Amino acid sequence: MSVSHTDQQLALMDTPPQNSLAQSVVSQAQDLTISWRPVFEDNDVQGSLKLLNHWLDQRKKTGAIIYPSHPFKALELIAPEDVKVVILGQDPYHGPEQAQGLSFSVPDTVRCPPSLRNIFKELAREYPDQNDQPSSDLTRWATQGVLLLNTSLTVENAKAGSHAGKGWEPITDAVIAHLFKFETPKVFMLWGAHAQAKQKLIDSSTKHGPVLSLASNHPSPLSATKPPVPFIGNGHFRLANEWLESWNQTPIDW
């Protein structure tokens, strides 16, 4: 049986990657700011999180390496009342030192993933006068009001989608629903079928402020230039900023 390059890397490591999960997700949720607390005080969310925490512990006992170290990083960097843009991903990157707890983002110390390269390609198309080399670490977006949220917040090494359907979805749905309690105008960027499946949740939520949904294909090379709505050429970054400015909001410096 062949051994993958990632498995060979891990075999050579004396310790797990720095971005692997160590602290329990229950305790990490308890450390979030007071603005996010109502999400995790809900009885259903508490139950889901406890069951998920037990399952994650069992997986780690079998030797599974789980990423990232801080699944709630997106919530740690921004308060719900400050969220102006939501970019939904599916699950974290599944290689060592990649996942940061922010959808599509990786540290600059690792190679820029293909989907993020296409995001930067679209940004360069929309803003051709910006010549700075973009950082693959999207923390700068989060600190301006962009919630970079995956629908599953953990994943196992070399196993994309391995934690989908394991209990994260009701928790991240509750996070999304919580945003609508605040009047801040919000843009949802729904790239691909998985993210667009959240449109029903967006439509059915009671809103206390204006909301705009922008949909296109996912930035993955498999779909970025294909119909029905190619990601490359969607114009979402400019559209989001123009809409925010129409509501007297500071635009995002992408």
mmCIF file with all atom_site columns, all heavy atoms in Angstrom, residues 67-78:
data_model
loop_
_atom_site.group_PDB
_atom_site.id
_atom_site.type_symbol
_atom_site.label_atom_id
_atom_site.label_alt_id
_atom_site.label_comp_id
_atom_site.label_asym_id
_atom_site.label_entity_id
_atom_site.label_seq_id
_atom_site.pdbx_PDB_ins_code
_atom_site.Cartn_x
_atom_site.Cartn_y
_atom_site.Cartn_z
_atom_site.occupancy
_atom_site.B_iso_or_equiv
_atom_site.pdbx_formal_charge
_atom_site.auth_seq_id
_atom_site.auth_comp_id
_atom_site.auth_asym_id
_atom_site.auth_atom_id
_atom_site.pdbx_PDB_model_num
ATOM 1   N N   . TYR A 1 67 ? -7.527  18.985 13.042 1.00 0.00 ? 67 TYR A N   1
ATOM 2   C CA  . TYR A 1 67 ? -7.231  20.408 12.841 1.00 0.00 ? 67 TYR A CA  1
ATOM 3   C C   . TYR A 1 67 ? -8.526  21.211 12.908 1.00 0.00 ? 67 TYR A C   1
ATOM 4   O O   . TYR A 1 67 ? -9.594  20.683 12.633 1.00 0.00 ? 67 TYR A O   1
ATOM 5   C CB  . TYR A 1 67 ? -6.595  20.643 11.465 1.00 0.00 ? 67 TYR A CB  1
ATOM 6   C CG  . TYR A 1 67 ? -5.402  19.796 11.141 1.00 0.00 ? 67 TYR A CG  1
ATOM 7   C CD1 . TYR A 1 67 ? -5.368  19.001 9.995  1.00 0.00 ? 67 TYR A CD1 1
ATOM 8   C CD2 . TYR A 1 67 ? -4.280  19.775 11.975 1.00 0.00 ? 67 TYR A CD2 1
ATOM 9   C CE1 . TYR A 1 67 ? -4.262  18.234 9.677  1.00 0.00 ? 67 TYR A CE1 1
ATOM 10  C CE2 . TYR A 1 67 ? -3.168  19.004 11.663 1.00 0.00 ? 67 TYR A CE2 1
ATOM 11  C CZ  . TYR A 1 67 ? -3.166  18.237 10.516 1.00 0.00 ? 67 TYR A CZ  1
ATOM 12  O OH  . TYR A 1 67 ? -2.067  17.475 10.211 1.00 0.00 ? 67 TYR A OH  1
ATOM 13  N N   . PRO A 1 68 ? -8.419  22.523 13.256 1.00 0.00 ? 68 PRO A N   1
ATOM 14  C CA  . PRO A 1 68 ? -7.262  23.284 13.719 1.00 0.00 ? 68 PRO A CA  1
ATOM 15  C C   . PRO A 1 68 ? -7.197  23.289 15.247 1.00 0.00 ? 68 PRO A C   1
ATOM 16  O O   . PRO A 1 68 ? -8.057  22.718 15.914 1.00 0.00 ? 68 PRO A O   1
ATOM 17  C CB  . PRO A 1 68 ? -7.554  24.688 13.184 1.00 0.00 ? 68 PRO A CB  1
ATOM 18  C CG  . PRO A 1 68 ? -9.041  24.808 13.312 1.00 0.00 ? 68 PRO A CG  1
ATOM 19  C CD  . PRO A 1 68 ? -9.576  23.417 13.001 1.00 0.00 ? 68 PRO A CD  1
ATOM 20  N N   . SER A 1 69 ? -6.206  23.985 15.784 1.00 0.00 ? 69 SER A N   1
ATOM 21  C CA  . SER A 1 69 ? -6.071  24.055 17.243 1.00 0.00 ? 69 SER A CA  1
ATOM 22  C C   . SER A 1 69 ? -7.155  24.923 17.860 1.00 0.00 ? 69 SER A C   1
ATOM 23  O O   . SER A 1 69 ? -7.583  24.681 18.991 1.00 0.00 ? 69 SER A O   1
ATOM 24  C CB  . SER A 1 69 ? -4.690  24.608 17.629 1.00 0.00 ? 69 SER A CB  1
ATOM 25  O OG  . SER A 1 69 ? -4.484  25.893 17.073 1.00 0.00 ? 69 SER A OG  1
ATOM 26  N N   . HIS A 1 70 ? -7.623  25.940 17.118 1.00 0.00 ? 70 HIS A N   1
ATOM 27  C CA  . HIS A 1 70 ? -8.655  26.860 17.612 1.00 0.00 ? 70 HIS A CA  1
ATOM 28  C C   . HIS A 1 70 ? -9.825  26.881 16.621 1.00 0.00 ? 70 HIS A C   1
ATOM 29  O O   . HIS A 1 70 ? -9.883  27.742 15.740 1.00 0.00 ? 70 HIS A O   1
ATOM 30  C CB  . HIS A 1 70 ? -8.093  28.268 17.801 1.00 0.00 ? 70 HIS A CB  1
ATOM 31  C CG  . HIS A 1 70 ? -7.154  28.395 18.958 1.00 0.00 ? 70 HIS A CG  1
ATOM 32  N ND1 . HIS A 1 70 ? -5.839  27.994 18.885 1.00 0.00 ? 70 HIS A ND1 1
ATOM 33  C CD2 . HIS A 1 70 ? -7.353  28.851 20.221 1.00 0.00 ? 70 HIS A CD2 1
ATOM 34  C CE1 . HIS A 1 70 ? -5.254  28.208 20.048 1.00 0.00 ? 70 HIS A CE1 1
ATOM 35  N NE2 . HIS A 1 70 ? -6.148  28.712 20.881 1.00 0.00 ? 70 HIS A NE2 1
ATOM 36  N N   . PRO A 1 71 ? -10.756 25.929 16.747 1.00 0.00 ? 71 PRO A N   1
ATOM 37  C CA  . PRO A 1 71 ? -11.870 25.868 15.799 1.00 0.00 ? 71 PRO A CA  1
ATOM 38  C C   . PRO A 1 71 ? -12.726 27.132 15.774 1.00 0.00 ? 71 PRO A C   1
ATOM 39  O O   . PRO A 1 71 ? -13.356 27.430 14.756 1.00 0.00 ? 71 PRO A O   1
ATOM 40  C CB  . PRO A 1 71 ? -12.688 24.660 16.296 1.00 0.00 ? 71 PRO A CB  1
ATOM 41  C CG  . PRO A 1 71 ? -11.709 23.821 17.045 1.00 0.00 ? 71 PRO A CG  1
ATOM 42  C CD  . PRO A 1 71 ? -10.776 24.787 17.690 1.00 0.00 ? 71 PRO A CD  1
ATOM 43  N N   . PHE A 1 72 ? -12.760 27.871 16.892 1.00 0.00 ? 72 PHE A N   1
ATOM 44  C CA  . PHE A 1 72 ? -13.598 29.074 16.974 1.00 0.00 ? 72 PHE A CA  1
ATOM 45  C C   . PHE A 1 72 ? -12.826 30.354 16.672 1.00 0.00 ? 72 PHE A C   1
ATOM 46  O O   . PHE A 1 72 ? -13.259 31.441 17.052 1.00 0.00 ? 72 PHE A O   1
ATOM 47  C CB  . PHE A 1 72 ? -14.234 29.174 18.364 1.00 0.00 ? 72 PHE A CB  1
ATOM 48  C CG  . PHE A 1 72 ? -15.129 28.031 18.715 1.00 0.00 ? 72 PHE A CG  1
ATOM 49  C CD1 . PHE A 1 72 ? -14.772 27.130 19.706 1.00 0.00 ? 72 PHE A CD1 1
ATOM 50  C CD2 . PHE A 1 72 ? -16.333 27.829 18.051 1.00 0.00 ? 72 PHE A CD2 1
ATOM 51  C CE1 . PHE A 1 72 ? -15.597 26.067 20.045 1.00 0.00 ? 72 PHE A CE1 1
ATOM 52  C CE2 . PHE A 1 72 ? -17.159 26.774 18.367 1.00 0.00 ? 72 PHE A CE2 1
ATOM 53  C CZ  . PHE A 1 72 ? -16.802 25.883 19.371 1.00 0.00 ? 72 PHE A CZ  1
ATOM 54  N N   . LYS A 1 73 ? -11.704 30.247 15.985 1.00 0.00 ? 73 LYS A N   1
ATOM 55  C CA  . LYS A 1 73 ? -10.866 31.414 15.718 1.00 0.00 ? 73 LYS A CA  1
ATOM 56  C C   . LYS A 1 73 ? -11.647 32.536 15.030 1.00 0.00 ? 73 LYS A C   1
ATOM 57  O O   . LYS A 1 73 ? -11.459 33.722 15.341 1.00 0.00 ? 73 LYS A O   1
ATOM 58  C CB  . LYS A 1 73 ? -9.676  31.014 14.856 1.00 0.00 ? 73 LYS A CB  1
ATOM 59  C CG  . LYS A 1 73 ? -8.657  32.125 14.624 1.00 0.00 ? 73 LYS A CG  1
ATOM 60  C CD  . LYS A 1 73 ? -7.907  32.445 15.895 1.00 0.00 ? 73 LYS A CD  1
ATOM 61  C CE  . LYS A 1 73 ? -6.770  33.417 15.647 1.00 0.00 ? 73 LYS A CE  1
ATOM 62  N NZ  . LYS A 1 73 ? -6.022  33.718 16.886 1.00 0.00 ? 73 LYS A NZ  1
ATOM 63  N N   . ALA A 1 74 ? -12.515 32.174 14.095 1.00 0.00 ? 74 ALA A N   1
ATOM 64  C CA  . ALA A 1 74 ? -13.302 33.190 13.389 1.00 0.00 ? 74 ALA A CA  1
ATOM 65  C C   . ALA A 1 74 ? -14.144 34.006 14.360 1.00 0.00 ? 74 ALA A C   1
ATOM 66  O O   . ALA A 1 74 ? -14.340 35.212 14.172 1.00 0.00 ? 74 ALA A O   1
ATOM 67  C CB  . ALA A 1 74 ? -14.195 32.532 12.335 1.00 0.00 ? 74 ALA A CB  1
ATOM 68  N N   . LEU A 1 75 ? -14.652 33.355 15.422 1.00 0.00 ? 75 LEU A N   1
ATOM 69  C CA  . LEU A 1 75 ? -15.469 34.047 16.421 1.00 0.00 ? 75 LEU A CA  1
ATOM 70  C C   . LEU A 1 75 ? -14.598 34.810 17.409 1.00 0.00 ? 75 LEU A C   1
ATOM 71  O O   . LEU A 1 75 ? -15.043 35.807 17.983 1.00 0.00 ? 75 LEU A O   1
ATOM 72  C CB  . LEU A 1 75 ? -16.359 33.053 17.178 1.00 0.00 ? 75 LEU A CB  1
ATOM 73  C CG  . LEU A 1 75 ? -17.212 32.094 16.333 1.00 0.00 ? 75 LEU A CG  1
ATOM 74  C CD1 . LEU A 1 75 ? -18.163 31.310 17.242 1.00 0.00 ? 75 LEU A CD1 1
ATOM 75  C CD2 . LEU A 1 75 ? -17.987 32.827 15.266 1.00 0.00 ? 75 LEU A CD2 1
ATOM 76  N N   . GLU A 1 76 ? -13.381 34.335 17.615 1.00 0.00 ? 76 GLU A N   1
ATOM 77  C CA  . GLU A 1 76 ? -12.476 35.019 18.547 1.00 0.00 ? 76 GLU A CA  1
ATOM 78  C C   . GLU A 1 76 ? -12.043 36.374 18.011 1.00 0.00 ? 76 GLU A C   1
ATOM 79  O O   . GLU A 1 76 ? -11.766 37.295 18.779 1.00 0.00 ? 76 GLU A O   1
ATOM 80  C CB  . GLU A 1 76 ? -11.233 34.149 18.801 1.00 0.00 ? 76 GLU A CB  1
ATOM 81  C CG  . GLU A 1 76 ? -11.527 32.850 19.544 1.00 0.00 ? 76 GLU A CG  1
ATOM 82  C CD  . GLU A 1 76 ? -10.308 31.935 19.598 1.00 0.00 ? 76 GLU A CD  1
ATOM 83  O OE1 . GLU A 1 76 ? -9.228  32.363 19.124 1.00 0.00 ? 76 GLU A OE1 1
ATOM 84  O OE2 . GLU A 1 76 ? -10.434 30.806 20.079 1.00 0.00 ? 76 GLU A OE2 1
ATOM 85  N N   . LEU A 1 77 ? -11.999 36.507 16.686 1.00 0.00 ? 77 LEU A N   1
ATOM 86  C CA  . LEU A 1 77 ? -11.455 37.719 16.071 1.00 0.00 ? 77 LEU A CA  1
ATOM 87  C C   . LEU A 1 77 ? -12.483 38.811 15.839 1.00 0.00 ? 77 LEU A C   1
ATOM 88  O O   . LEU A 1 77 ? -12.111 39.952 15.537 1.00 0.00 ? 77 LEU A O   1
ATOM 89  C CB  . LEU A 1 77 ? -10.788 37.371 14.735 1.00 0.00 ? 77 LEU A CB  1
ATOM 90  C CG  . LEU A 1 77 ? -9.498  36.558 14.819 1.00 0.00 ? 77 LEU A CG  1
ATOM 91  C CD1 . LEU A 1 77 ? -9.014  36.191 13.424 1.00 0.00 ? 77 LEU A CD1 1
ATOM 92  C CD2 . LEU A 1 77 ? -8.417  37.339 15.558 1.00 0.00 ? 77 LEU A CD2 1
ATOM 93  N N   . ILE A 1 78 ? -13.766 38.496 15.970 1.00 0.00 ? 78 ILE A N   1
ATOM 94  C CA  . ILE A 1 78 ? -14.789 39.487 15.640 1.00 0.00 ? 78 ILE A CA  1
ATOM 95  C C   . ILE A 1 78 ? -16.043 39.254 16.480 1.00 0.00 ? 78 ILE A C   1
ATOM 96  O O   . ILE A 1 78 ? -16.444 38.113 16.714 1.00 0.00 ? 78 ILE A O   1
ATOM 97  C CB  . ILE A 1 78 ? -15.119 39.432 14.135 1.00 0.00 ? 78 ILE A CB  1
ATOM 98  C CG1 . ILE A 1 78 ? -16.125 40.511 13.751 1.00 0.00 ? 78 ILE A CG1 1
ATOM 99  C CG2 . ILE A 1 78 ? -15.601 38.060 13.720 1.00 0.00 ? 78 ILE A CG2 1
ATOM 100 C CD1 . ILE A 1 78 ? -16.320 40.631 12.255 1.00 0.00 ? 78 ILE A CD1 1
#
